Amino acid sequence: MSGSTAVDPEALGHFLRQWLSIDDVQLDDMLDYVRPCHYARHALLFHEGETVDDLVLMGTGLARSFTVREDREVNLRLLCAPAAALPFSSFLSRTPADETLQALTDISGYRLRFRRYCQHHPGLLAESMQRLLAERHFIALQRRLHMLQAGAASARYAYFLKHMEPEIVSGTPAYHVASYLGITPESLSRVKADLDK
């Protein structure tokens, strides 16, 4: 990760107000806890085994959350900007993360020392941010569960096309999509070929 330490309050405020009601005083309070960040493609935002205290606010780019099972990477979530990225269960339980978050493209945004901010500024904004994170995490996991229950590879891919953000559909490499769908890359190729007929 790279990035300067100067944060443009206006840009940060514009970014946060896509989801939150935040006034200038609250924004000023947050500035001490946030810095611009940039992750190159393939860089890790968070590592499995790390206890997570930070939050990455993705202004641009795509990321994936994955775990390793039987020596194979399994994608759990796919994210596109604007998004808040972190292994949420690690943050909640203060235990080592059981997933890794990786940049699929270059990512620019902000890294927020979220736990420290919440400790030093308890109140409605911190609670709203945590509730919003929980809601988004739940929706992402529920979406993947519905997709996995769709049945055959073709049904899973149809669900993916219908319910995922267009940036994820168009920008995620096919082998990562296949992993997310729980199918082989070969199966995904056959499904795509059938759709092109």
Side-chain angles (χ1 to χ4, degrees):
M1 183 199 71
S2 63
S4 64
T5 57
V7 175
D8 177 353
E10 186 174 332
L12 178 62
H14 176 74
F15 182 87
L16 291 172
R17 288 181 180 116
Q18 294 176 86
W19 303 297
L20 296 164
S21 176
I22 180 170
D23 62 36
D24 290 341
V25 173
Q26 292 169 320
L27 182 62
D28 190 57
D29 288 341
M30 188 178 288
L31 292 177
D32 289 337
Y33 302 87
V34 67
R35 67 184 187 278
C37 63
H38 178 82
Y39 296 89
R41 183 175 175 233
H42 301 309
L44 300 183
L45 285 68
F46 298 98
H47 307 257
E48 185 172 352
E50 165 187 14
T51 301
V52 173
D53 293 318
D54 289 3
L55 166 67
V56 173
L57 300 167
M58 294 170 49
T60 62
L62 299 172
R64 69 177 180 128
S65 162
F66 70 93
T67 189
V68 178
R69 295 185 184 141
E70 299 176 356
D71 297 323
R72 186 171 56 90
E73 293 180 359
V74 177
N75 287 333
L76 305 172
R77 294 189 315 282
L78 300 172
L79 300 98
C80 69
L86 81 165
F88 191 58
S89 61
S90 173
F91 180 83
L92 282 180
S93 62
R94 299 186 183 194
T95 57
D98 60 1
E99 61 183 304
T100 296
L101 270 71
Q102 182 183 42
L104 290 177
T105 65
D106 286 1
I107 291 174
S108 293
Y110 305 94
R111 189 157 181 128
L112 171 64
R113 291 177 296 168
F114 190 46
R115 188 179 307 283
R116 187 169 295 182
Y117 170 78
C118 292
Q119 289 170 343
H120 293 176
H121 297 277
L124 185 59
L125 180 60
E127 292 170 9
S128 295
M129 291 178 73
Q130 291 180 72
R131 184 173 58 251
L132 183 62
L133 284 171
E135 289 170 358
R136 288 176 159 262
H137 195 76
F138 174 79
I139 289 168
L141 292 178
Q142 186 181 50
R143 180 168 57 182
R144 184 162 191 264
L145 178 62
H146 285 308
M147 181 272 304
L148 290 173
Q149 292 177 331
S154 58
R156 292 182 185 190
Y157 187 59
Y159 188 93
F160 175 82
L161 293 177
K162 181 176 180 181
H163 294 281
M164 295 300 282
E165 292 84 351
E167 296 86 353
I168 291 176
V169 172
S170 64
T172 304
Y175 63 95
H176 283 312
V177 172
S179 173
Y180 178 80
L181 297 177
I183 63 176
T184 65
E186 294 76 17
S187 293
L188 180 58
S189 293
R190 286 193 295 271
V191 168
K192 287 183 168 184
D194 288 342
L195 288 176
D196 291 338
K197 287 180 181 176

